[in-house]
Amino acid sequence: MFKSKFTKGFIVLLAGILLLTGCSGGKEKDSDNPGTSAPSASNEKVLTIANATDIESFDAHNNNNTYSEAVLVNVYDYLLKNDSAQNKQASLAVSWEAVDDTTWRFKLRDDVKFHNGDPFTAADVKFSLERVAKDSGLKQHSYYKDLKEVNIIDEYTVDIVTNHPDPIMLNRLSRMGADILPAKYIEENGMEAFLKAPIGTGPYKFSKWAKDDRIELVKNEDYFASESKWDKVVFRMVPEASTRVSELITGGVDVAANVPSTDVQRINDSGKAKIEEATIQRVLHVLMRMTEGSITADPKVREAIELAIDNQAIIDSIAGGAGIPTRTSVTPGNFGADPSLYDQYVYDQEKAKELLKEAGYESGAKITFTAASNYKEVAEVTAAMLTSVGFEVNLEILEPSKFSETYNAKKFKELFLLGVGNSLFDASNNYNRFLVENAAGETDYNNAEVESLLQAASVNMNTADREQQFQQVQQHIATDRPTIYLYQMKGIYGVGERVTYTPRLDEMFFADEIIPVQ
């Protein structure tokens, strides 16, 4: 590991960037504006959560980000659910067992109703899981495409059969994409009608969605598990961090996500709210195109990029110390982690400059670097570090919705900044993106040995062997550098005085885990 301190000049440059960044936020909204969700005069219990960005849709099989899942877990249920320590708990299924290497049998609850009153049965499991498994157009399809069929044994028993042994089937069935939808309603009314008024079995029912503004959910009086704690749950989309913080302090929201480190003291000193911090699954990394002809196809250029970046300085200056540097995205607590790459980084700006010269870019290496606005400060400081070793950086900052659109279309140029969580709690979730078919159009990474290791791990039921396979993959990625990992993030949440809340590692907002203060 190479570490060195900033030069005095670079500290001045960094300070200038942060000063400009601090002045660039949007105008704060008035605390009593129409968007504020203060407690109702009728004693209605309303929970309001402020997020930086909206969900993709209410089609639970066609979302691909944690922001969406964090909302939808309140509307839909899985067969299993994870508790806060990621232990598997019964949900729509009451018991499960492996019949053989390719078959799991699930016994289902017989007392569950969808929000429209239709009973939940094995037919809904078959419809939902086979839909996501067979429709390649759905964003969650890649996680479920090896599911061969769901066989109905009786009204409340199903066998889930896969084409090959699947060592993480239970992980899949307790995450985004395994949501159970109402078969009868959708077959009779169509998906378009369903999405206008989505129906699940969860503790809260759909009420309203004003895109890029708010989602409103109401209490499901017939929820099978327990009585819901809130009459209404509101998710507000507030892109400007300064506005989220102001709304929290003035009581407009109860929980504010993605609080900047610069606002931590302001919240704690307010007397109206406090900070709750938790290590989360999300790792920030810079993905690079390895497409033939691209400047970042040159391994010396990719190594120069990694050596130019001082991970710890970014953590200290932007995240307020709330992060852990890493050269892998499989962090502790995930299957397949390689401890030798965690809490590590390489930083050597002089060597980075030498590598650029060796690669033929002594007079400047032009690259485009794209990031979403919620990671604007990280992107700006990273770009400054790259500039200081000889890169000419065209920095593109996109609104989250535009970034998501560009990401899904795979239209990024040389570099883009991405925060990736791990809802599977398994190395495959992070590294299957480097399979040739998945990397096409994104990084265009192609390493035959990595391909072989990942394919073997996908069907390996021997946990010790499988762990070694993933550790070998991580060592290859650290050498090949199709991506440069920056740090494992810590979630910083502002929590108002009306609630108590302990953030989760998986970043989910289960509304009933946020407790009203009596």
Side-chain angles (χ1 to χ4, degrees), residues 338-394:
D338 185 340
S340 73
L341 294 170
Y342 184 70
D343 199 8
Q344 300 286 320
Y345 67 103
V346 292
Y347 172 61
D348 188 334
Q349 290 207 328
E350 292 307 312
K351 186 176 179 182
K353 292 175 184 177
E354 292 173 10
L355 285 167
L356 278 185
K357 289 179 183 179
E358 292 174 14
Y361 295 103
E362 187 172 359
S363 59
K366 295 181 180 180
I367 53 174
T368 295
F369 180 28
T370 308
S373 57
N374 47 317
Y375 295 135
K376 179 174 181 283
E377 292 84 358
V378 173
E380 287 177 327
V381 174
T382 302
M385 292 175 175
L386 295 174
T387 299
S388 70
V389 302
F391 286 97
E392 294 180 26
V393 183
N394 171 31

Side-chain angles (χ1 to χ4, degrees), residues 86 281 330-337 425-426 505:
Q86 300 306 304
Q281 288 284 76
V330 188
T331 53
N334 291 283
F335 180 85
F425 282 79
D426 186 87
L505 177 65

Side-chain angles (χ1 to χ4, degrees), residues 457-471:
S458 69
V459 296
N460 192 345
M461 304 298 282
N462 183 308
T463 56
D465 286 350
R466 189 167 179 267
E467 182 177 46
Q468 290 181 4
Q469 287 166 338
F470 280 126
Q471 290 175 347

Side-chain angles (χ1 to χ4, degrees), residues 143-316:
Y143 291 95
Y144 300 92
K145 63 184 180 181
D146 195 48
L147 196 155
K148 180 181 179 181
E149 59 189 355
V150 178
N151 294 324
I152 296 175
I153 306 305
D154 59 42
E155 197 170 16
Y156 296 105
T157 308
V158 295
D159 280 356
I160 297 177
V161 183
T162 54
N163 291 310
H164 308 284
D166 186 353
I168 55 170
M169 173 56 77
L170 299 184
N171 299 50
R172 296 185 197 282
L173 295 176
S174 55
R175 67 172 296 282
M176 174 168 45
D179 311 71
I180 304 303
L181 308 183
K184 179 174 178 286
Y185 182 88
I186 294 173
E187 287 167 351
E188 290 179 352
N189 298 279
M191 183 56 68
E192 186 175 343
F194 170 79
L195 291 177
K196 290 179 180 177
I199 294 165
T201 59
Y204 293 91
K205 301 189 292 186
F206 173 84
S207 176
K208 174 184 177 182
W209 182 23
K211 189 166 175 56
D212 295 324
D213 178 29
R214 67 180 54 224
I215 292 169
E216 294 183 4
L217 310 176
V218 295
K219 183 178 183 178
N220 177 10
E221 299 285 356
D222 295 321
Y223 188 53
F224 63 86
S226 60
E227 183 177 0
S228 302
K229 293 183 171 61
W230 302 95
D231 298 309
K232 180 187 290 186
V233 178
V234 180
F235 289 91
R236 287 182 52 199
M237 276 45 86
V238 186
E240 301 89 354
S242 58
T243 306
R244 290 198 300 277
V245 172
S246 292
E247 290 276 19
L248 177 73
I249 291 173
T250 56
V253 303
D254 298 299
V255 177
N258 301 109
V259 172
S261 60
T262 50
D263 284 315
V264 168
Q265 186 169 349
R266 176 188 172 199
I267 291 172
N268 282 332
D269 290 347
S270 69
K272 299 292 185 181
K274 64 179 181 178
I275 289 292
E276 292 285 353
E277 185 179 293
T279 300
I280 59 177
Q281 288 284 76
R282 193 163 298 276
V283 172
L284 269 182
H285 51 142
V286 179
L287 283 134
M288 293 187 277
R289 277 204 175 277
M290 296 177 65
T291 315
E292 187 175 352
S294 171
I295 183 174
T296 42
D298 189 326
K300 290 183 178 180
V301 172
R302 297 196 303 276
E303 184 177 1
I305 289 171
E306 180 170 28
L307 292 173
I309 300 171
D310 189 334
N311 306 47
Q312 190 63 52
I314 296 174
I315 294 167
D316 293 340

